């Protein structure tokens, strides 16, 4: 049975002091949570401090992005070994905001994925369609392309270390979220494609999580779908109490 994963993406919020206090508060709340993997993703400036604050507890730490080169004359970029050095264990790759605002492509996602795996970071690879693409009934085609090109070169053995995050772009920061049926349909399609391209065993072990206006009041229904293995949480993850509620309501004993 796949362990559920709840990851909080803080985006461009929180100072170092705010981030450390958040982790201290959250640690006290999740002491007894052992059946859900919990990850928080602070800005680069707070990665090391958050990793230190989380050490020895039940909270993992993710970077929000990375560059595919180890080092070099790439002003403003951060390499995977640098992220690993902070104590972070995960990295988000290809978030829709990176794709739409900063021009990321499936090709750059693929290069970043390779860099993350080389540094032994767990990649959370984001895929998902825009509203226009959904209205044109292109959702499955978009997902196929993003998965095929983004995961190009990944072996079945490596796939099980990857987390795929389905985040319909039209549901991010809008207050709208996919219905349970829509989420189930998309996640089921992703799982079938992983089975087709990587084999049944690898596909069964790989976690596919949902992202898009996840809140305490909808998480239980979402993770109740057979192929939804957790959530990538945006705005609701900024408050530790709300994030804890999402974690709590995602536990199998409470669904």
């Amino acid at each position: 049975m796949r362990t559920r994963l709840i990851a909080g993406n803080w985006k461009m919020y929180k100072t170092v002091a705010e981030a450390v206090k958040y982790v201290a508060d959250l640690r006290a709340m999740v002491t007894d949570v052992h059946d859900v993997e919990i990850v928080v993703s602070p800005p680069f400036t707070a990665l090391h401090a958050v990793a230190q604050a989380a050490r020895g507890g039940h909270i993992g730490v993710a970077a929000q992005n990375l560059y595919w080169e180890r080092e070099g004359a790439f002003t403003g970029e951060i390499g995977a070994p640098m992220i690993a050095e902070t104590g972070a264990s995960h990295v988000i790759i290809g978030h829709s905001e990176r794709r739409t605002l900063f021009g990321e492509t499936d090709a750059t996602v693929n290069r970043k994925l390779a860099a993350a795996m080389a540094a032994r970071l767990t990649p959370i690879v984001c895929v998902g369609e825009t509203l226009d693409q959904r209205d044109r009934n292109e959702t499955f085609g978009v997902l196929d392309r993003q998965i095929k090109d983004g995961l190009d070169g990944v072996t079945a053995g490596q796939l099980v270390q990857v987390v795929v995050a389905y985040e319909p772009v039209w549901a991010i920061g809008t207050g709208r979220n996919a219905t349970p049926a829509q989420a189930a349909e998309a996640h089921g399609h992703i799982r079938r494609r992983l089975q087709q391209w990587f084999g049944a065993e690898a596909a069964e072990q790989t976690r596919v999580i949902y992202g898009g206006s996840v809140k305490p009041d909808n998480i239980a229904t979402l993770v109740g779908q057979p192929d939804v293995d957790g959530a990538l949480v945006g705005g609701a993850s900024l408050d530790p109490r709300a994030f804890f509620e999402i974690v709590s309501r995602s536990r199998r004993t409470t669904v």
Side-chain angles (χ1 to χ4, degrees), residues 179-180 217-225 228 249 255:
T179 65
D217 61 2
N218 62 24
I219 182 63
T221 306
L222 288 167
V223 297
Q225 306 307 308
V228 179
R249 297 181 189 186
V255 173

Side-chain angles (χ1 to χ4, degrees), residues 68 99 104-113 146 149-150:
W68 54 79
R99 293 177 187 260
E104 291 206 5
T105 65
D106 296 328
T108 61
V109 166
N110 184 248
R111 297 180 75 175
K112 291 181 177 188
L113 173 59
Q146 291 176 337
D149 294 347

Side-chain angles (χ1 to χ4, degrees), residues 112-187:
K112 291 181 177 188
L113 173 59
M117 291 190 295
R120 298 185 178 180
L121 295 169
T122 297
I124 302 174
V125 180
C126 302
V127 298
E129 80 284 5
T130 65
L131 182 59
D132 286 344
Q133 289 167 335
R134 172 164 281 273
D135 287 343
R136 294 195 300 267
N137 295 316
E138 297 174 356
T139 296
F140 291 165
V142 170
L143 294 176
D144 288 351
R145 185 196 73 240
Q146 291 176 337
I147 295 167
K148 192 174 184 64
D149 294 347
L151 303 186
D152 184 44
V154 174
T155 67
Q158 291 172 324
L159 180 69
V160 299
Q161 305 302 322
V162 176
V163 177
V164 178
Y166 169 62
E167 43 165 31
V169 181
W170 47 271
I172 297 174
T174 63
R176 298 175 57 183
N177 63 288
T179 65
Q182 288 171 324
E185 182 181 48
H187 281 244

Side-chain angles (χ1 to χ4, degrees), residues 5-11 14 19-20 22-24 26-27 30 37-43 46-47 49-55 58-64 87-92 124 231-233 237-240 243-244 247:
L5 168 64
I6 302 295
N9 178 16
W10 297 353
K11 307 188 180 183
K14 297 193 182 299
V20 169
Y22 178 112
V23 171
L26 184 63
R27 279 191 69 155
V30 301
E37 184 178 358
I38 304 166
V39 174
V40 295
S41 185
L47 269 181
V50 166
Q52 290 294 311
R55 179 176 291 181
H58 304 308
I59 303 171
V61 181
Q64 297 178 18
S89 53
H90 295 63
V91 59
I92 299 171
I124 302 174
L232 180 59
V233 187
S237 73
L238 294 175
D239 175 71
F243 190 58
F244 171 66
V247 170

